[in-house]
Amino acid sequence: MPKHPLEENLDADFRDPNQDHSDEPEDGSDEPGTADDEWFERHDIQVDPRQSLVRLDKYLMDRLSNRTRNRVQNAIRAGSVRVDDKEVKPNYKVKPGNHISIVLPRNAEDAYDVSPQDIPLNIVYEDNDVLIINKPYNLAVHPGVGIPSGTLVNAVAWHLKEMVNKLPVKEGNESSRAGIVHRIDKDTTGLMVVAKNDYAMTHIANQFFHHTIERRYWALVWGDLEGDSGTVEGHIGRNPNDRKLFMVFPEGEQGKHAVTHWRVIERFYYTTLVECRLETGRTHQIRVHMKSIGHTLFGDPRYGGNRVLKGTLYAQYKQFADKLLQACPRQALHAKVLGFVHPVTGEHLRFESELPEDMQSVIHAWRNYVIARKSTTK
């Protein structure tokens, strides 16, 4: 049978002889990513056996620094405070021996110094409590080193105008991160939720902390995965040789516990479209977990996916793959599904967004490649 013009030596991995691949993983046998738990603080209190009966909100006011009575009551109503593992009301009377667990957004000074900027937002849903945004490529979530402005927070400040000074802020996130409950990377696209008041922030933060938020990402990865689904479980921490990178520590000697569930959506011989469901939310989780099993995200410049990792030795194939890498000069990762319980109505909200144009065009090209290959082998 004649071969597809891009398919000489089909089973070989492409290797550039001028690059060192000694640390590259063998073929498969990283928001939000989002480091969710770094945004919250947890307290566990064992009530003294001699404690007199006192309202829960008053009891906590005496023990939590820099917390207003309103914020404490909001946390209790949002279910972020549990007594003996049960939800209670602010007027619950604390009893001797009670165990109180508390999950709160990290606190901050109420300073708002983000300048509103007229940056277009793709708003999927909005009410008095939450704002759901479909974030585009090349938009940082909040100001930081080297990115003083032009961020999603600046855009939200413009959109909300007079409301911006009422947005909740978390300690450790600075006042420049008003309303931000979670993050996704600057070059990752997709759905994010913004909290518009303290109660919403506390309620949604509690869901993130307990991993009850539904988050599904679509990613294009290098290689053909074995099996149709699987789970990657491995501690993620900073790479000791490069602090900008993260890596998996298989034995769990460093880093934080992380779990990613994946399933195949479509196969393209040398790349695969997968859905990743996050059970935890670590920085770069999908990017790092998929790389650890030999399937680096297509186009990912930080983790080596922006060069041809799989395919043939034929020059025309390399030109084809390089052209697609230029069409998607970032990690091909999209936060496609976001689901959570509304902080006020109690309704389960679920949102789904279409893939961005760059990912769609690359996937379309790979799909045509598969069709052409099959036509030449009949």
CSV table of all heavy atoms in Angstrom, one decimal, residues 38-90:
chain,number,residue,atom,x,y,z
A,38,GLU,N,-3.7,26.8,48.7
A,38,GLU,CA,-2.8,27.8,49.1
A,38,GLU,C,-3.6,29.1,49.3
A,38,GLU,O,-3.1,30.1,49.8
A,38,GLU,CB,-1.7,28.1,48.1
A,38,GLU,CG,-0.7,26.9,48.0
A,38,GLU,CD,0.3,27.1,46.9
A,38,GLU,OE1,0.3,28.2,46.2
A,38,GLU,OE2,1.1,26.1,46.6
A,39,TRP,N,-4.8,29.1,48.9
A,39,TRP,CA,-5.7,30.3,49.0
A,39,TRP,C,-6.6,30.3,50.2
A,39,TRP,O,-7.3,31.3,50.4
A,39,TRP,CB,-6.6,30.4,47.7
A,39,TRP,CG,-5.8,30.8,46.5
A,39,TRP,CD1,-4.7,30.1,46.0
A,39,TRP,CD2,-6.0,31.8,45.6
A,39,TRP,NE1,-4.3,30.7,44.8
A,39,TRP,CE2,-5.1,31.8,44.6
A,39,TRP,CE3,-7.0,32.9,45.6
A,39,TRP,CZ2,-5.1,32.7,43.5
A,39,TRP,CZ3,-7.0,33.8,44.5
A,39,TRP,CH2,-6.0,33.7,43.5
A,40,PHE,N,-6.5,29.3,51.0
A,40,PHE,CA,-7.4,29.1,52.1
A,40,PHE,C,-6.6,28.8,53.4
A,40,PHE,O,-5.5,28.3,53.3
A,40,PHE,CB,-8.4,28.0,51.9
A,40,PHE,CG,-9.0,28.0,50.5
A,40,PHE,CD1,-8.9,26.9,49.6
A,40,PHE,CD2,-9.6,29.1,50.0
A,40,PHE,CE1,-9.4,26.9,48.4
A,40,PHE,CE2,-10.1,29.2,48.7
A,40,PHE,CZ,-10.0,28.1,47.9
A,41,GLU,N,-7.2,29.2,54.5
A,41,GLU,CA,-6.7,28.8,55.8
A,41,GLU,C,-7.6,27.9,56.5
A,41,GLU,O,-8.8,28.0,56.4
A,41,GLU,CB,-6.4,30.1,56.6
A,41,GLU,CG,-7.6,30.9,56.9
A,41,GLU,CD,-7.3,32.2,57.6
A,41,GLU,OE1,-6.5,33.0,57.1
A,41,GLU,OE2,-7.7,32.3,58.8
A,42,ARG,N,-7.1,26.9,57.3
A,42,ARG,CA,-7.9,26.0,58.0
A,42,ARG,C,-7.6,26.1,59.5
A,42,ARG,O,-6.4,26.2,59.8
A,42,ARG,CB,-7.8,24.6,57.5
A,42,ARG,CG,-8.5,23.6,58.4
A,42,ARG,CD,-8.7,22.3,57.7
A,42,ARG,NE,-9.6,21.4,58.5
A,42,ARG,CZ,-10.3,20.4,58.1
A,42,ARG,NH1,-10.2,20.1,56.8
A,42,ARG,NH2,-11.0,19.6,58.8
A,43,HIS,N,-8.6,26.1,60.3
A,43,HIS,CA,-8.4,26.1,61.8
A,43,HIS,C,-9.2,24.9,62.4
A,43,HIS,O,-10.3,24.6,61.9
A,43,HIS,CB,-8.9,27.4,62.4
A,43,HIS,CG,-8.3,28.6,61.8
A,43,HIS,ND1,-7.2,29.2,62.3
A,43,HIS,CD2,-8.7,29.4,60.8
A,43,HIS,CE1,-6.9,30.3,61.6
A,43,HIS,NE2,-7.8,30.4,60.7
A,44,ASP,N,-8.6,24.3,63.3
A,44,ASP,CA,-9.3,23.2,64.1
A,44,ASP,C,-9.2,23.6,65.5
A,44,ASP,O,-8.1,23.8,66.1
A,44,ASP,CB,-8.6,21.8,63.8
A,44,ASP,CG,-9.0,21.3,62.5
A,44,ASP,OD1,-10.1,20.8,62.3
A,44,ASP,OD2,-8.1,21.3,61.6
A,45,ILE,N,-10.3,23.6,66.2
A,45,ILE,CA,-10.4,24.1,67.6
A,45,ILE,C,-11.1,23.0,68.4
A,45,ILE,O,-12.2,22.5,68.0
A,45,ILE,CB,-11.2,25.4,67.7
A,45,ILE,CG1,-10.5,26.5,66.9
A,45,ILE,CG2,-11.3,25.8,69.2
A,45,ILE,CD1,-11.3,27.8,66.9
A,46,GLN,N,-10.5,22.6,69.5
A,46,GLN,CA,-11.1,21.6,70.4
A,46,GLN,C,-11.6,22.5,71.6
A,46,GLN,O,-10.7,23.1,72.3
A,46,GLN,CB,-10.1,20.6,70.9
A,46,GLN,CG,-10.7,19.4,71.7
A,46,GLN,CD,-11.6,18.6,70.8
A,46,GLN,OE1,-11.3,18.3,69.7
A,46,GLN,NE2,-12.7,18.1,71.4
A,47,VAL,N,-12.9,22.5,71.8
A,47,VAL,CA,-13.4,23.3,72.9
A,47,VAL,C,-13.0,22.8,74.3
A,47,VAL,O,-13.1,21.6,74.5
A,47,VAL,CB,-14.9,23.5,72.7
A,47,VAL,CG1,-15.5,24.3,73.9
A,47,VAL,CG2,-15.3,24.0,71.4
A,48,ASP,N,-12.6,23.7,75.1
A,48,ASP,CA,-12.2,23.3,76.5
A,48,ASP,C,-13.4,22.6,77.2
A,48,ASP,O,-14.5,23.1,77.1
A,48,ASP,CB,-11.8,24.5,77.2
A,48,ASP,CG,-11.1,24.2,78.5
A,48,ASP,OD1,-11.8,23.8,79.5
A,48,ASP,OD2,-9.8,24.2,78.6
A,49,PRO,N,-13.1,21.5,78.0
A,49,PRO,CA,-14.2,20.9,78.8
A,49,PRO,C,-14.9,21.8,79.8
A,49,PRO,O,-16.0,21.5,80.2
A,49,PRO,CB,-13.4,19.7,79.5
A,49,PRO,CG,-12.2,19.5,78.6
A,49,PRO,CD,-11.8,20.9,78.1
A,50,ARG,N,-14.2,22.9,80.1
A,50,ARG,CA,-14.8,23.8,81.1
A,50,ARG,C,-15.5,25.0,80.5
A,50,ARG,O,-15.9,25.9,81.2
A,50,ARG,CB,-13.7,24.3,82.1
A,50,ARG,CG,-13.1,23.1,82.9
A,50,ARG,CD,-11.9,23.6,83.7
A,50,ARG,NE,-10.8,23.9,82.7
A,50,ARG,CZ,-9.6,24.3,83.0
A,50,ARG,NH1,-9.3,24.4,84.3
A,50,ARG,NH2,-8.7,24.5,82.1
A,51,GLN,N,-15.6,25.0,79.1
A,51,GLN,CA,-16.2,26.1,78.4
A,51,GLN,C,-17.6,26.3,78.7
A,51,GLN,O,-18.4,25.3,78.7
A,51,GLN,CB,-16.0,25.9,76.9
A,51,GLN,CG,-16.7,26.9,76.0
A,51,GLN,CD,-16.1,28.3,76.2
A,51,GLN,OE1,-14.9,28.4,76.1
A,51,GLN,NE2,-16.9,29.3,76.3
A,52,SER,N,-18.1,27.5,79.1
A,52,SER,CA,-19.5,27.8,79.3
A,52,SER,C,-20.2,27.9,78.0
A,52,SER,O,-19.6,28.2,76.9
A,52,SER,CB,-19.6,29.1,80.1
A,52,SER,OG,-19.0,30.2,79.4
A,53,LEU,N,-21.5,27.8,78.0
A,53,LEU,CA,-22.3,27.9,76.7
A,53,LEU,C,-22.2,29.3,76.2
A,53,LEU,O,-22.4,30.3,76.9
A,53,LEU,CB,-23.7,27.5,77.0
A,53,LEU,CG,-24.0,26.1,77.4
A,53,LEU,CD1,-25.5,25.9,77.6
A,53,LEU,CD2,-23.5,25.1,76.4
A,54,VAL,N,-21.9,29.4,74.9
A,54,VAL,CA,-21.7,30.8,74.3
A,54,VAL,C,-22.0,30.6,72.8
A,54,VAL,O,-21.8,29.5,72.2
A,54,VAL,CB,-20.3,31.3,74.5
A,54,VAL,CG1,-19.3,30.4,73.9
A,54,VAL,CG2,-20.2,32.7,73.9
A,55,ARG,N,-22.6,31.6,72.2
A,55,ARG,CA,-22.9,31.6,70.7
A,55,ARG,C,-21.6,31.3,69.9
A,55,ARG,O,-20.5,31.8,70.2
A,55,ARG,CB,-23.5,32.9,70.3
A,55,ARG,CG,-25.0,33.1,70.6
A,55,ARG,CD,-25.4,34.5,70.1
A,55,ARG,NE,-25.2,34.7,68.7
A,55,ARG,CZ,-26.2,34.9,67.8
A,55,ARG,NH1,-27.4,34.7,68.2
A,55,ARG,NH2,-25.9,35.1,66.5
A,56,LEU,N,-21.8,30.5,68.9
A,56,LEU,CA,-20.6,30.1,68.1
A,56,LEU,C,-20.0,31.3,67.4
A,56,LEU,O,-18.7,31.4,67.4
A,56,LEU,CB,-21.1,29.2,67.0
A,56,LEU,CG,-20.0,28.7,65.9
A,56,LEU,CD1,-18.9,28.0,66.6
A,56,LEU,CD2,-20.7,27.8,64.9
A,57,ASP,N,-20.7,32.3,66.9
A,57,ASP,CA,-20.1,33.4,66.2
A,57,ASP,C,-19.3,34.3,67.2
A,57,ASP,O,-18.2,34.7,66.9
A,57,ASP,CB,-21.2,34.3,65.5
A,57,ASP,CG,-22.3,34.7,66.4
A,57,ASP,OD1,-22.3,34.4,67.6
A,57,ASP,OD2,-23.2,35.4,65.9
A,58,LYS,N,-19.8,34.4,68.4
A,58,LYS,CA,-19.1,35.2,69.5
A,58,LYS,C,-17.8,34.4,69.9
A,58,LYS,O,-16.7,35.0,70.0
A,58,LYS,CB,-19.9,35.4,70.7
A,58,LYS,CG,-19.3,36.3,71.7
A,58,LYS,CD,-20.2,36.6,72.9
A,58,LYS,CE,-19.6,37.6,73.9
A,58,LYS,NZ,-18.2,37.1,74.4
A,59,TYR,N,-18.0,33.1,70.0
A,59,TYR,CA,-16.8,32.2,70.4
A,59,TYR,C,-15.7,32.4,69.4
A,59,TYR,O,-14.5,32.5,69.7
A,59,TYR,CB,-17.3,30.8,70.5
A,59,TYR,CG,-16.2,29.8,70.9
A,59,TYR,CD1,-15.9,29.6,72.2
A,59,TYR,CD2,-15.5,29.1,69.9
A,59,TYR,CE1,-14.9,28.7,72.5
A,59,TYR,CE2,-14.5,28.2,70.2
A,59,TYR,CZ,-14.2,28.0,71.5
A,59,TYR,OH,-13.2,27.1,71.9
A,60,LEU,N,-16.0,32.3,68.1
A,60,LEU,CA,-15.0,32.4,67.0
A,60,LEU,C,-14.4,33.8,66.9
A,60,LEU,O,-13.3,34.0,66.6
A,60,LEU,CB,-15.6,32.0,65.7
A,60,LEU,CG,-16.0,30.5,65.6
A,60,LEU,CD1,-16.6,30.2,64.2
A,60,LEU,CD2,-14.8,29.6,65.9
A,61,MET,N,-15.3,34.8,67.1
A,61,MET,CA,-14.7,36.2,67.1
A,61,MET,C,-13.6,36.4,68.1
A,61,MET,O,-12.6,37.2,67.8
A,61,MET,CB,-15.9,37.2,67.4
A,61,MET,CG,-16.8,37.5,66.3
A,61,MET,SD,-16.0,38.5,65.0
A,61,MET,CE,-15.6,40.0,65.9
A,62,ASP,N,-13.6,35.7,69.2
A,62,ASP,CA,-12.6,35.8,70.2
A,62,ASP,C,-11.3,35.1,69.8
A,62,ASP,O,-10.3,35.3,70.5
A,62,ASP,CB,-13.1,35.3,71.6
A,62,ASP,CG,-14.2,36.2,72.1
A,62,ASP,OD1,-14.3,37.4,71.7
A,62,ASP,OD2,-15.0,35.7,72.9
A,63,ARG,N,-11.4,34.2,68.8
A,63,ARG,CA,-10.3,33.3,68.5
A,63,ARG,C,-9.7,33.5,67.1
A,63,ARG,O,-8.7,33.0,66.8
A,63,ARG,CB,-10.7,31.9,68.7
A,63,ARG,CG,-10.8,31.5,70.2
A,63,ARG,CD,-11.7,30.3,70.5
A,63,ARG,NE,-11.7,30.0,71.9
A,63,ARG,CZ,-12.5,30.7,72.8
A,63,ARG,NH1,-13.2,31.7,72.4
A,63,ARG,NH2,-12.4,30.4,74.1
A,64,LEU,N,-10.4,34.2,66.3
A,64,LEU,CA,-9.9,34.5,64.9
A,64,LEU,C,-9.6,35.9,64.8
A,64,LEU,O,-10.4,36.8,64.9
A,64,LEU,CB,-11.0,34.1,63.9
A,64,LEU,CG,-11.5,32.7,63.8
A,64,LEU,CD1,-12.6,32.5,62.8
A,64,LEU,CD2,-10.3,31.7,63.5
A,65,SER,N,-8.3,36.2,64.5
A,65,SER,CA,-7.9,37.6,64.4
A,65,SER,C,-8.3,38.2,63.1
A,65,SER,O,-8.4,37.5,62.1
A,65,SER,CB,-6.3,37.6,64.6
A,65,SER,OG,-5.7,36.9,63.5
A,66,ASN,N,-8.5,39.5,63.1
A,66,ASN,CA,-8.8,40.3,61.9
A,66,ASN,C,-10.0,39.8,61.2
A,66,ASN,O,-10.1,39.8,60.0
A,66,ASN,CB,-7.6,40.3,61.0
A,66,ASN,CG,-6.4,40.9,61.6
A,66,ASN,OD1,-6.5,41.9,62.3
A,66,ASN,ND2,-5.2,40.3,61.3
A,67,ARG,N,-11.0,39.3,61.9
A,67,ARG,CA,-12.3,38.8,61.3
A,67,ARG,C,-13.4,39.6,61.9
A,67,ARG,O,-13.6,39.6,63.1
A,67,ARG,CB,-12.5,37.3,61.5
A,67,ARG,CG,-11.5,36.5,60.8
A,67,ARG,CD,-11.8,36.4,59.3
A,67,ARG,NE,-10.7,35.7,58.6
A,67,ARG,CZ,-10.7,35.4,57.3
A,67,ARG,NH1,-11.8,35.7,56.6
A,67,ARG,NH2,-9.7,34.8,56.8
A,68,THR,N,-14.2,40.2,61.0
A,68,THR,CA,-15.4,40.9,61.5
A,68,THR,C,-16.5,40.0,61.9
A,68,THR,O,-16.5,38.8,61.4
A,68,THR,CB,-15.9,41.9,60.5
A,68,THR,OG1,-16.4,41.2,59.3
A,68,THR,CG2,-14.8,42.9,60.0
A,69,ARG,N,-17.4,40.4,62.7
A,69,ARG,CA,-18.6,39.6,63.0
A,69,ARG,C,-19.3,39.1,61.8
A,69,ARG,O,-19.7,38.0,61.7
A,69,ARG,CB,-19.5,40.3,64.0
A,69,ARG,CG,-20.6,39.4,64.6
A,69,ARG,CD,-21.5,40.2,65.4
A,69,ARG,NE,-22.5,39.4,66.1
A,69,ARG,CZ,-22.4,38.9,67.3
A,69,ARG,NH1,-21.3,39.2,68.0
A,69,ARG,NH2,-23.3,38.1,67.9
A,70,ASN,N,-19.5,40.0,60.8
A,70,ASN,CA,-20.2,39.7,59.6
A,70,ASN,C,-19.5,38.6,58.8
A,70,ASN,O,-20.1,37.7,58.3
A,70,ASN,CB,-20.3,41.0,58.7
A,70,ASN,CG,-21.2,40.7,57.5
A,70,ASN,OD1,-22.3,40.3,57.6
A,70,ASN,ND2,-20.6,41.0,56.3
A,71,ARG,N,-18.2,38.7,58.7
A,71,ARG,CA,-17.4,37.6,58.0
A,71,ARG,C,-17.5,36.3,58.7
A,71,ARG,O,-17.6,35.2,58.0
A,71,ARG,CB,-16.0,38.1,57.8
A,71,ARG,CG,-15.8,39.2,56.8
A,71,ARG,CD,-14.3,39.4,56.4
A,71,ARG,NE,-14.2,40.3,55.3
A,71,ARG,CZ,-13.1,40.6,54.7
A,71,ARG,NH1,-12.0,40.0,55.1
A,71,ARG,NH2,-13.0,41.5,53.7
A,72,VAL,N,-17.5,36.3,60.0
A,72,VAL,CA,-17.6,35.1,60.7
A,72,VAL,C,-19.0,34.5,60.5
A,72,VAL,O,-19.1,33.2,60.3
A,72,VAL,CB,-17.3,35.3,62.2
A,72,VAL,CG1,-17.7,34.0,63.0
A,72,VAL,CG2,-15.8,35.6,62.5
A,73,GLN,N,-20.0,35.3,60.6
A,73,GLN,CA,-21.4,34.8,60.4
A,73,GLN,C,-21.6,34.3,59.0
A,73,GLN,O,-22.2,33.2,58.8
A,73,GLN,CB,-22.4,35.9,60.7
A,73,GLN,CG,-22.5,36.2,62.2
A,73,GLN,CD,-23.4,37.3,62.5
A,73,GLN,OE1,-23.7,38.1,61.7
A,73,GLN,NE2,-23.9,37.3,63.7
A,74,ASN,N,-21.0,35.0,58.0
A,74,ASN,CA,-21.1,34.5,56.6
A,74,ASN,C,-20.4,33.1,56.4
A,74,ASN,O,-20.9,32.3,55.7
A,74,ASN,CB,-20.4,35.5,55.7
A,74,ASN,CG,-21.3,36.7,55.3
A,74,ASN,OD1,-22.6,36.6,55.5
A,74,ASN,ND2,-20.8,37.8,54.9
A,75,ALA,N,-19.3,33.0,57.1
A,75,ALA,CA,-18.6,31.7,57.0
A,75,ALA,C,-19.4,30.6,57.6
A,75,ALA,O,-19.5,29.5,57.0
A,75,ALA,CB,-17.2,31.8,57.7
A,76,ILE,N,-20.1,30.8,58.7
A,76,ILE,CA,-20.9,29.8,59.3
A,76,ILE,C,-22.1,29.5,58.4
A,76,ILE,O,-22.4,28.3,58.2
A,76,ILE,CB,-21.4,30.3,60.7
A,76,ILE,CG1,-20.2,30.5,61.7
A,76,ILE,CG2,-22.4,29.2,61.3
A,76,ILE,CD1,-20.6,31.2,63.0
A,77,ARG,N,-22.8,30.5,57.9
A,77,ARG,CA,-23.9,30.3,57.0
A,77,ARG,C,-23.5,29.6,55.7
A,77,ARG,O,-24.3,28.8,55.2
A,77,ARG,CB,-24.6,31.6,56.7
A,77,ARG,CG,-25.2,32.3,57.9
A,77,ARG,CD,-26.1,33.4,57.5
A,77,ARG,NE,-26.7,34.2,58.7
A,77,ARG,CZ,-26.2,35.3,59.1
A,77,ARG,NH1,-25.1,35.9,58.5
A,77,ARG,NH2,-26.7,35.9,60.2
A,78,ALA,N,-22.3,29.8,55.3
A,78,ALA,CA,-21.8,29.2,54.0
A,78,ALA,C,-21.4,27.7,54.2
A,78,ALA,O,-21.1,27.1,53.2
A,78,ALA,CB,-20.7,30.0,53.5
A,79,GLY,N,-21.4,27.3,55.4
A,79,GLY,CA,-21.0,25.9,55.7
A,79,GLY,C,-19.6,25.7,55.8
A,79,GLY,O,-19.1,24.6,55.8
A,80,SER,N,-18.8,26.8,56.0
A,80,SER,CA,-17.4,26.7,56.1
A,80,SER,C,-16.9,26.5,57.5
A,80,SER,O,-15.8,26.2,57.8
A,80,SER,CB,-16.7,28.0,55.6
A,80,SER,OG,-16.9,28.1,54.2
A,81,VAL,N,-17.9,26.5,58.5
A,81,VAL,CA,-17.6,26.2,59.9
A,81,VAL,C,-18.5,25.0,60.2
A,81,VAL,O,-19.7,25.0,60.0
A,81,VAL,CB,-18.0,27.4,60.8
A,81,VAL,CG1,-17.7,27.0,62.2
A,81,VAL,CG2,-17.1,28.6,60.4
A,82,ARG,N,-17.9,23.9,60.8
A,82,ARG,CA,-18.6,22.7,61.2
A,82,ARG,C,-18.3,22.4,62.6
A,82,ARG,O,-17.1,22.5,63.0
A,82,ARG,CB,-18.2,21.6,60.3
A,82,ARG,CG,-18.5,21.8,58.8
A,82,ARG,CD,-18.1,20.7,57.9
A,82,ARG,NE,-18.9,19.5,58.0
A,82,ARG,CZ,-20.0,19.3,57.3
A,82,ARG,NH1,-20.4,20.1,56.4
A,82,ARG,NH2,-20.7,18.2,57.5
A,83,VAL,N,-19.3,22.0,63.3
A,83,VAL,CA,-19.1,21.6,64.7
A,83,VAL,C,-19.4,20.1,64.8
A,83,VAL,O,-20.5,19.6,64.4
A,83,VAL,CB,-20.1,22.4,65.6
A,83,VAL,CG1,-19.9,21.9,67.1
A,83,VAL,CG2,-19.8,23.9,65.5
A,84,ASP,N,-18.4,19.4,65.3
A,84,ASP,CA,-18.5,17.9,65.3
A,84,ASP,C,-18.9,17.3,63.9
A,84,ASP,O,-19.8,16.5,63.8
A,84,ASP,CB,-19.5,17.4,66.4
A,84,ASP,CG,-19.0,17.8,67.8
A,84,ASP,OD1,-17.8,18.0,67.9
A,84,ASP,OD2,-19.8,18.0,68.7
A,85,ASP,N,-18.4,18.0,62.9
A,85,ASP,CA,-18.6,17.6,61.5
A,85,ASP,C,-20.0,17.8,61.0
A,85,ASP,O,-20.5,17.1,60.1
A,85,ASP,CB,-18.2,16.1,61.3
A,85,ASP,CG,-17.8,15.8,59.8
A,85,ASP,OD1,-17.3,16.7,59.1
A,85,ASP,OD2,-18.0,14.7,59.3
A,86,LYS,N,-20.7,18.7,61.6
A,86,LYS,CA,-22.1,19.1,61.2
A,86,LYS,C,-22.2,20.6,61.0
A,86,LYS,O,-21.6,21.4,61.7
A,86,LYS,CB,-23.1,18.6,62.2
A,86,LYS,CG,-23.2,17.1,62.4
A,86,LYS,CD,-24.2,16.8,63.5
A,86,LYS,CE,-24.2,15.2,63.8
A,86,LYS,NZ,-25.2,14.9,64.8
A,87,GLU,N,-23.0,21.0,60.0
A,87,GLU,CA,-23.2,22.4,59.8
A,87,GLU,C,-24.2,22.9,60.9
A,87,GLU,O,-25.1,22.2,61.2
A,87,GLU,CB,-23.8,22.6,58.4
A,87,GLU,CG,-22.9,22.3,57.2
A,87,GLU,CD,-23.4,22.8,55.9
A,87,GLU,OE1,-24.4,23.5,55.9
A,87,GLU,OE2,-22.9,22.3,54.9
A,88,VAL,N,-23.9,24.1,61.3
A,88,VAL,CA,-24.7,24.7,62.4
A,88,VAL,C,-25.0,26.2,62.0
A,88,VAL,O,-24.5,26.7,61.0
A,88,VAL,CB,-24.0,24.6,63.7
A,88,VAL,CG1,-23.9,23.2,64.2
A,88,VAL,CG2,-22.7,25.3,63.7
A,89,LYS,N,-25.8,26.8,62.8
A,89,LYS,CA,-26.1,28.2,62.6
A,89,LYS,C,-25.3,29.1,63.5
A,89,LYS,O,-24.7,28.6,64.5
A,89,LYS,CB,-27.6,28.5,62.9
A,89,LYS,CG,-28.6,27.7,61.9
A,89,LYS,CD,-30.0,28.0,62.3
A,89,LYS,CE,-30.9,27.3,61.3
A,89,LYS,NZ,-32.4,27.5,61.6
A,90,PRO,N,-25.2,30.4,63.2
A,90,PRO,CA,-24.4,31.3,64.0
A,90,PRO,C,-24.7,31.4,65.5
A,90,PRO,O,-23.9,31.6,66.3
A,90,PRO,CB,-24.6,32.7,63.3
A,90,PRO,CG,-24.9,32.4,61.9
A,90,PRO,CD,-25.7,31.1,62.0
